[in-house]
Amino acid sequence: MEQRAESIEHILHEVEEGKIHLSEGQIHNLENQAKYFHEHAGHESTHSKMAMIIIFALVAFQFVLLWWKKHHYRSYQATTTIGLWIIPFAFALQSGMKQFAIVWVIFTILNSWIIYKATRKPLHHMTPKVVYKWYWVIYQISYVTGIIGYGMMFLTFMGFGVTPPKEGEEPKTSFLVTWGLTFLTYGIYFGILGRDFVEFCTESMASTLGYYTKEGFPRKHLRLGVCAICGIHVSNAISTIDAHGHLQAPVVLQPSPNGTPIEPSIKLNCGHEFHEECIRGWCLIGKKDMCPYCKEKVDLRAFKTNPWDTTQQLYLNLLDALRYMIVWQPVIMGLVQFGFYMTGLE
């Protein structure tokens, strides 16, 4: 690094003598580089140690998190959700990101009302539908927002909206990059946050009704024709799932009295019946792939009625995978930085 600093100083000396002509911005960049190389001269071995510590920490913490998730899933999930909810907001306040903070506060107020409704005892029979509808809307907004942000970034990589800087000027960030990153960040973050909160609401509502327990047998016996998700009798228009995982057309067993609309219902392979809206919300939005009552596996292909459903399911899986990066990656790097500070490594 010392040789690089000397080379840069030689170039700056020739600029002062008028042998080389550079803009003020270029001279400023060279001065900063020379300063950096002087400060870090002889630190190559230190940097190698720091890199090894970072790699070891990432691998070690990964095993710790996997063990925690496997043996104490509820505490892991609760800690992850709280961290996902609080850490970005605290970072936004520290960085002066008012726009993100405002959106976060609005989301938190509305979402708190949904959580309040989902945790009431006794549970109103319409609450599950309201909860799943809310998180479905959140998911749709995050999905569209993420796609728009990705599209803007793609256009930037293709050269659209990029203006070459004039001679002597610093390059400016394209508005497509700025808004693309904003849309992409908002879409991914609030999509992941909604995925975590809906899982909590799903288990809370099902446990309140008494037809679902995470382990062991349910507290209540499920009567024939009762939806275990909302506790209301299912309609007479019942669909079934065939051996290939396809949803069959509903069969109306009896006409609806007074001509009132019939709410479609689905009968799973285990024999239990649910309102279509309830079981779709339980499986697709609530991240459950089993019957709420008997815990028999449910073939999710039955609920994918068009190619977009498959694409959206892949997006949901992507959101679940990114949770680790948003929550635990900053925590791990923060602990590593604290370790560097305590040991005097810079």
Side-chain angles (χ1 to χ4, degrees):
M1 285 193 178
E2 190 66 37
Q3 293 179 349
R4 294 181 181 178
E6 292 177 356
S7 299
I8 294 175
E9 288 177 349
H10 178 71
I11 295 174
L12 292 173
H13 181 69
E14 291 187 345
V15 170
E16 291 178 357
E17 293 180 348
K19 297 180 180 180
I20 300 177
H21 298 283
L22 298 176
S23 64
E24 293 183 3
Q26 292 173 328
I27 294 174
H28 181 69
N29 290 335
L30 288 175
E31 290 175 346
N32 288 336
Q33 291 180 24
K35 181 180 178 181
Y36 173 83
F37 290 140
H38 274 303
E39 291 177 350
H40 292 269
H43 291 184
E44 288 81 359
S45 60
T46 303
H47 293 167
S48 300
K49 292 179 182 178
M50 294 172 69
M52 292 299 297
I53 291 174
I54 292 175
I55 294 173
F56 174 79
L58 290 174
V59 175
F61 273 103
Q62 181 69 20
F63 282 106
V64 172
L65 291 174
L66 288 175
W67 180 89
W68 186 12
K69 183 177 181 180
K70 181 179 180 180
H71 294 87
H72 304 281
Y73 179 77
R74 288 195 174 185
S75 62
Y76 168 84
Q77 185 70 10
T79 305
T80 302
T81 302
I82 294 173
L84 181 66
W85 180 44
I86 298 297
I87 292 176
F89 178 67
F91 177 78
L93 292 179
Q94 183 181 7
S95 305
M97 301 168 61
K98 296 181 180 179
Q99 183 179 354
F100 178 86
I102 292 173
V103 175
W104 185 93
V105 169
I106 294 174
F107 171 84
T108 298
I109 293 174
L110 296 176
N111 194 63
S112 297
W113 181 79
I114 293 295
I115 295 175
Y116 172 82
K117 297 287 289 183
T119 53
R120 293 307 89 197
K121 296 179 181 181
L123 189 71
H124 192 273
H125 68 91
M126 286 300 296
T127 298
K129 293 182 176 63
V130 173
V131 170
Y132 291 136
K133 180 64 70 174
W134 161 253
Y135 287 110
W136 177 250
V137 170
I138 291 297
Y139 159 69
Q140 292 286 0
I141 294 175
S142 71
Y143 181 74
V144 173
T145 304
I147 291 297
I148 292 174
Y150 176 80
M152 288 182 172
M153 297 297 295
F154 180 77
L155 289 176
T156 302
F157 292 142
M158 295 297 293
F160 292 94
V162 179
T163 304
K166 297 180 181 180
E167 186 177 354
E169 291 185 355
E170 292 289 335
K172 297 180 180 180
T173 304
S174 169
F175 76 95
L176 286 177
V177 173
T178 303
W179 284 103
L181 286 174
T182 300
F183 277 101
L184 195 59
T185 302
Y186 280 38
I188 291 176
Y189 173 70
F190 288 104
I192 296 174
L193 198 59
R195 291 286 285 168
D196 276 11
F197 278 119
V198 72
E199 186 173 6
F200 166 77
C201 291
T202 296
E203 293 195 359
S204 176
M205 292 186 296
S207 298
T208 299
L209 286 175
Y211 297 119
Y212 168 80
T213 53
K214 198 171 185 66
E215 297 177 356
F217 296 98
R219 292 183 289 107
K220 294 172 62 176
H221 173 70
L222 183 64
R223 292 175 295 169
L224 183 64
V226 174
C227 176
I229 297 175
C230 66
I232 302 299
H233 280 276
V234 299
S235 67
N236 294 318
I238 301 176
S239 301
T240 57
I241 302 175
D242 62 18
H244 302 287
H246 299 142
L247 194 64
Q248 300 300 304
V251 177
V252 180
L253 303 180
Q254 296 178 1
S256 175
N258 303 325
T260 55
I262 297 177
E263 184 176 2
S265 303
I266 293 179
K267 185 176 182 179
L268 302 180
N269 292 332
C270 59
H272 298 121
E273 302 171 2
F274 303 89
H275 298 112
E276 182 176 353
E277 191 174 352
C278 290
I279 194 62
R280 283 182 180 273
W282 169 272
C283 292
L284 299 181
I285 306 301
K287 301 197 297 184
K288 304 294 183 183
D289 61 348
M290 60 185 177
C291 172
Y293 186 68
C294 67
K295 299 182 179 64
E296 181 176 320
K297 287 289 184 179
V298 176
D299 192 346
L300 298 180
R301 293 178 300 173
F303 305 114
K304 299 172 184 177
T305 57
N306 56 66
W308 282 105
D309 290 339
T310 302
T311 304
Q312 292 175 349
Q313 189 64 39
L314 293 175
Y315 181 70
L316 291 175
N317 295 336
L318 173 63
L319 294 181
D320 291 338
L322 290 175
R323 293 167 70 251
Y324 169 81
M325 294 181 61
I326 294 178
V327 179
W328 294 111
Q329 201 77 355
V331 173
I332 294 172
M333 296 309 298
L335 292 175
V336 171
Q337 286 284 65
F338 179 75
F340 289 161
Y341 174 77
M342 294 301 295
T343 56
L345 294 175
E346 295 182 1

